[in-house]
Amino acid sequence: MTPAIGDVVTAVLVLSAALMCLAAGVGLLRFPDVLSRLHAATKPQIFGLIAVTLDVAVNNFTLGTVTLSVAIVAFQALTAPMAAHLIARVAHDTDRFRPELLVVDELGRANRRGDRGD
């Protein structure tokens, strides 16, 4: 790959990652409750991480770099939803959310019955 093409690819990927981080930050500030803020924090974050690791893998195309990039994305894709789920459960259990924004509150029904599924 020529240096000019590499620079363009880097610029596009880093700019898209920065826009994803900006979208996550704006969502954290603008969304009304914990549950919607979690969505804003996890979705753009993983896409920004994919863009950055893809840029690193494209600019330094070795087996070790590509393997490490894939491992980073895979582990982040596995842990971010789990962490968001746990935070959402705690927010729900401590009533730190806005129930009028929910379409269906399945956890509320489970907590009223005493069947938490733990």
Side-chain angles (χ1 to χ4, degrees):
M1 178 173 2
T2 65
I5 293 175
D7 289 344
V8 169
V9 169
T10 295
V12 168
L13 288 173
V14 169
L15 184 63
S16 65
L19 288 174
M20 289 291 119
C21 290
L22 178 67
V26 169
L28 285 174
L29 293 175
R30 298 282 300 166
F31 283 165
D33 69 334
V34 173
L35 303 180
S36 48
R37 287 179 183 164
L38 281 173
H39 180 76
T42 55
K43 300 300 181 200
Q45 179 264 341
I46 191 71
F47 290 132
L49 180 73
I50 288 170
V52 168
T53 55
L54 182 62
D55 178 48
V56 170
V58 165
N59 284 319
N60 186 13
F61 194 74
T62 62
L63 180 63
T65 305
V66 171
T67 304
L68 185 62
S69 296
V70 168
I72 289 169
V73 169
F75 286 122
Q76 187 67 29
L78 290 173
T79 57
M82 285 187 253
H85 172 75
L86 291 174
I87 293 169
R89 283 297 295 254
V90 169
H92 189 278
D93 290 345
T94 58
D95 292 326
R96 302 217 189 269
F97 71 104
R98 294 174 55 188
E100 67 272 4
L101 296 176
L102 297 178
V103 176
V104 176
D105 186 10
E106 294 177 356
L107 286 176
R109 287 184 290 181
N111 286 342
R112 282 192 299 272
R113 285 195 317 250
D115 176 28
R116 293 180 47 130
D118 293 339

